[in-house]
Amino acid sequence: YQRRVHGECLYVNKERMTTDNSGRLGIAERHISEKASLRIAKLAFQTARERRKTHARLPMVTAVHKANILPVSDGLFLECFQEVAKEFPDIPSNHQLIDSFMYKVTQNPSRFDVVVAPNTWGNIISNGCAPMVGGLGMVAGMNEGGSLIVGEPIHGTPKHLEGKGIANPIAAMRAAAMVAQRLIPSIPIMYYFEKATEQVLQEGLCLTPDIGGTATTAELGTRIAARFEALLSLGTESEEVFRDG
């Protein structure tokens, strides 16, 4: 599970072109604020604490950075992370350089739980790790800002699939489930959704082309929605697992 700061880092979109003795020189600004870094670190630790209720593993928060090369900007991010970590003594934490992290996560992703990073590194992590779980069509994200939340697939707009009806709907459905879970915390919506998705994928009877099948977007989406509805209506076993953690 990843947390990253939107609207900062290189994504402030402040570039300029100048010249030096060698010719043209492109310069990009990178912004890392104390306020946003403290906030995202706190959200990461809160997420780890919440996940402990539904995942049979010890929580862990890992900060990913490049403070050895960027001691001012990523140094501030890491400093804020370590400051917030003191407020959550029950949640173990560590930090990794982005290049070291990508090497280790591709070797053994299970060693990590919640990952928090500045925006640029976070974008690399989310897209780089997507193939481990079936590709970009499987992965969703949620933007949180104050009183507003927006769920979305991480893949953006796959224009090459427009109008063909074969895009994987799981990322969009997962985003909707994430938002619903936040709005209705008393019901384990994400548990039901993940269980329904897992069952449908394991059956292998209705898969879109990106994950090895021939089904359409509507066919896979309908099958997962029906399985989700069935699990939600039965409920008892799922709720016991959710509550017992």
Side-chain angles (χ1 to χ4, degrees), residues 145-159:
S147 60
L148 301 176
I149 56 173
V150 177
E152 61 178 348
I154 71 166
H155 56 59
T157 305
K159 291 187 178 297

Side-chain angles (χ1 to χ4, degrees), residues 18-25:
T18 185
T19 59
D20 63 9
N21 293 333
S22 64
R24 291 187 298 170
L25 177 65

Side-chain angles (χ1 to χ4, degrees), residues 8 32-40 76-77 79-80 83:
E8 288 203 344
I32 301 289
S33 72
E34 181 179 34
K35 179 180 179 181
S37 297
L38 290 171
R39 179 177 177 274
I40 200 68
L76 174 60
F77 178 84
E79 179 186 331
C80 291
E83 181 179 335

Side-chain angles (χ1 to χ4, degrees), residues 113-153:
D113 182 25
V114 176
V115 176
V116 60
N119 203 10
T120 303
W121 308 144
N123 186 57
I124 291 171
I125 292 167
S126 60
N127 285 271
C129 291
M132 300 180 195
V133 294
L136 293 174
M138 304 287 288
V139 186
M142 189 158 66
N143 305 290
E144 301 182 46
S147 60
L148 301 176
I149 56 173
V150 177
E152 61 178 348

